[in-house]
Amino acid sequence: MVDDSRIRVLTLNCWQVLFLCATCCSLLFRGLKYVSKNLDERIEAIAHELANSNYDIIALQEIWVFAHYERIQQRVVKRLPYSKFFYSGALGAGLAIFTRYPIISSSIHPYSLNGTPLDVIAGDWFVGKAAASIVVLHPVLGQIQVFNTHLFAKGGEDGPEYKRAHRLVNAWEFAKLVRQAAEGGRFVVALGDFNSIPPTLPMTVIFQHANLKDSWTVTHPGVNAASITSPLEAVQRLGITADSPLNSWSASKGHARGTWGKRLDYVLYRQPNRPGQTVPNLKAIDSKVVFTDTVPRRSFSPSDHFGLETTFEVTSTSQDETSQIPPLATSASELSNATISTVIQALTECYRFSRERSRKELIIFGLCLLVLVGVIIGTVWLPHAWINPIFIFFTVFMAWLATTMLYEGFIFGHWECNALMNVIEELEIHRKGMDILNGRRDSNDSRSVSL
């Protein structure tokens, strides 16, 4: 018998390596299953494990090949009859959601910044990293908007924040979508690979602006990281999902004692914003890292990430305390001035870097044109016929370089700068708007005191 007072969810990055070549992207994409290490066996192991599980919602990342989505769908369809594979960008979003509850709507929001066209090895620009979501109908909670996302990876956690500017843009856009969903009266469950450890700026933006709760910290409060003495304990108590020495794909990576990997995968949630209404309560009661064993009879892990599982408890007719607060009094879920200033500073630095890079690329474009003109003129005085093929090859190369620099420097350069400026101005307007609302609130408070 199905228990509607419990919701079990899973997020897992399936690790399908996407290796790109600028001249044959589509061919390599079709051959993806031959590029990723042991991909077919790993997908089969993941599908088998999911088929024998009792999850209510599953969110997968890096599931680029539609045939692999279909394989998993066929395995889990009896338990999870509803699913959605999301399309975005040139090569797909790599996102899929499977659920036990009927889907009543779906959407996808491609992030405005996802790396550069020249970074063909990483391939982020060619794929459509995005915030995908479905709205499902739960028997007790009503409408739940389930998000699945995979944020931009490059930049790490060290060094200046401007190196993570694209991820900050992703985080801001994701937080806005979650906030809009909650303000529309829906419960929110957000899953995915956020490529950020908890204290970093992107996660701070998401937690503060979207007012999301982290299921791991809710179910594992007060854990002292300094007391962790083994990789297994780090997985069990800190929720480590990536770069763990217990994972065969990251076992060779150096890890400092006391870190044991990274927590990059999250299950986040929040109540709806329904002022004056009594709504059911959604609370995380258990979270654990899963998919930690190797593929049966093999020595490698199913993915380079472990999965994260959370069990929610649903209690009906529980007064939602936050819903009784007037809309103006929502300071607890707002970005702090310090966070906004830090984000704006990082994006501004990235804006300047982008302008300077674009200027250099356009200079290269101009030089390429001059060289091409010189080559064309020089062909008149070629002393030997055998030099012709060399000149042709060199001309083709210079034409390709000129075209690439024009696209990267002018089209993408303006694209990136405009996207950064949009977010900078949105944050500035948001900060000014909150000052106005806080001033009005203070004025109303002073009036009530005088009365």
Side-chain angles (χ1 to χ4, degrees):
M1 182 176 179
V2 176
D3 183 8
D4 291 324
S5 66
R6 294 283 191 277
I7 302 176
R8 292 187 69 216
V9 304
L10 168 75
T11 178
L12 175 66
N13 182 321
C14 297
W15 191 47
Q16 292 189 358
V17 178
L18 190 59
F19 179 78
L20 297 172
C21 173
T23 58
C24 54
C25 290
S26 60
L27 292 177
L28 284 177
F29 182 65
R30 294 190 188 100
L32 179 60
K33 53 189 173 184
Y34 305 111
V35 176
S36 295
K37 296 179 180 179
N38 306 109
L39 179 56
D40 195 65
E41 292 174 276
R42 293 192 292 106
I43 290 296
E44 178 61 30
I46 291 172
H48 178 77
E49 184 68 21
L50 295 180
N52 291 281
S53 67
N54 60 345
Y55 295 114
D56 299 301
I57 299 171
I58 296 173
L60 301 181
Q61 303 87 45
E62 291 196 26
I63 187 84
W64 307 106
V65 180
F66 187 75
H68 293 156
Y69 160 77
E70 288 184 311
R71 183 188 304 186
I72 295 174
Q73 181 190 43
Q74 291 168 3
R75 296 292 188 87
V76 303
V77 67
K78 290 184 179 180
R79 169 74 184 180
L80 308 175
Y82 309 99
S83 61
K84 179 72 174 76
F85 181 84
F86 294 90
Y87 301 89
S88 180
L91 301 177
L95 302 173
I97 303 177
F98 306 85
T99 176
R100 179 167 67 87
Y101 312 109
I103 299 175
I104 59 177
S105 68
S106 68
S107 65
I108 185 167
H109 175 89
Y111 293 127
S112 57
L113 291 178
N114 278 312
T116 70
L118 287 183
D119 192 4
V120 296
I121 299 300
D124 289 287
W125 189 83
F126 296 91
V127 303
K129 284 195 172 179
S133 72
I134 59 173
V135 178
V136 299
L137 193 60
H138 187 271
V140 179
L141 298 178
Q143 293 187 18
I144 308 174
Q145 189 150 353
V146 181
F147 286 89
N148 184 14
T149 191
H150 188 186
L151 300 193
F152 181 67
K154 202 166 185 179
E157 289 82 35
D158 301 323
E161 287 291 350
Y162 79 85
K163 292 184 177 180
R164 290 174 288 281
H166 286 206
R167 200 187 312 160
L168 283 171
V169 171
N170 295 173
W172 169 249
E173 292 175 349
F174 179 77
K176 288 193 300 178
L177 293 171
V178 170
R179 182 169 172 142
Q180 290 169 3
E183 289 177 349
R186 297 186 181 120
F187 288 85
V188 172
V189 175
L191 310 99
D193 176 3
F194 290 79
N195 273 313
S196 305
I197 60 177
T200 53
L201 191 57
M203 296 310 300
T204 301
V205 170
I206 290 172
F207 287 135
Q208 289 186 358
H209 191 66
N211 198 25
L212 286 164
K213 294 180 181 178
D214 182 356
S215 66
W216 188 267
T217 57
V218 169
T219 56
H220 298 78
V223 177
N224 182 9
S227 66
I228 303 301
T229 59
S230 70
L232 180 60
E233 189 180 6
V235 168
Q236 295 174 340
R237 299 184 61 198
L238 298 180
I240 298 299
T241 57
D243 292 345
S244 169
L246 298 179
N247 191 299
S248 67
W249 305 110
S250 56
S252 60
K253 292 184 178 180
H255 61 281
R257 185 178 179 84
T259 57
W260 309 111
K262 301 176 182 178
R263 181 158 81 93
L264 304 181
D265 303 86
Y266 297 82
V267 174
L268 312 174
Y269 67 102
R270 67 164 290 176
Q271 298 286 111
N273 184 13
R274 300 178 188 172
Q277 296 183 27
T278 298
V279 298
N281 188 52
L282 181 67
K283 181 181 179 181
I285 59 173
D286 182 55
S287 291
K288 59 183 178 181
V289 177
V290 294
F291 282 86
T292 56
D293 295 330
T294 58
V295 173
R297 297 179 297 279
R298 300 304 298 267
S299 60
F300 50 83
S301 301
S303 172
D304 67 338
H305 282 236
F306 295 144
L308 181 62
E309 168 193 312
T310 292
T311 301
F312 292 103
E313 180 182 52
V314 178
T315 56
S316 59
T317 65
S318 175
Q319 185 68 30
D320 179 19
E321 296 177 0
T322 59
S323 68
Q324 302 304 312
I325 302 175
L328 292 178
T330 56
S331 58
S333 62
E334 294 299 339
L335 288 168
S336 67
N337 281 327
T339 300
I340 293 176
S341 298
T342 306
V343 173
I344 290 177
Q345 182 180 3
L347 298 184
T348 303
E349 287 296 318
C350 184
Y351 180 87
R352 293 170 182 163
F353 177 81
S354 179
R355 289 284 298 270
E356 180 62 20
R357 186 198 63 228
S358 297
R359 185 184 69 83
K360 292 178 180 178
E361 289 165 345
L362 290 176
I363 290 175
I364 295 175
F365 165 71
L367 293 175
C368 288
L369 291 182
L370 292 177
V371 171
L372 284 171
V373 171
V375 169
I376 293 171
I377 296 174
T379 55
V380 178
W381 294 283
L382 288 179
H384 304 287
W386 60 265
I387 301 180
N388 271 331
I390 299 176
F391 263 67
I392 292 173
F393 176 81
F394 182 73
T395 301
V396 170
F397 172 77
M398 294 305 296
W400 169 82
L401 181 60
T403 304
T404 302
M405 290 297 101
L406 177 61
Y407 184 87
E408 171 79 8
F410 182 75
I411 299 178
F412 176 73
H414 283 78
W415 181 328
E416 183 178 36
C417 287
N418 288 340
L420 291 168
M421 187 55 65
N422 272 337
V423 177
I424 290 171
E425 292 187 353
E426 285 178 8
L427 288 167
E428 289 176 340
I429 291 172
H430 180 75
R431 177 163 56 184
K432 292 177 182 177
M434 289 312 304
D435 289 341
I436 293 172
L437 292 176
N438 288 333
R440 182 184 300 174
R441 188 187 312 147
D442 293 341
S443 175
N444 290 338
D445 291 343
S446 63
R447 288 179 186 175
S448 62
V449 170
S450 63
L451 291 174

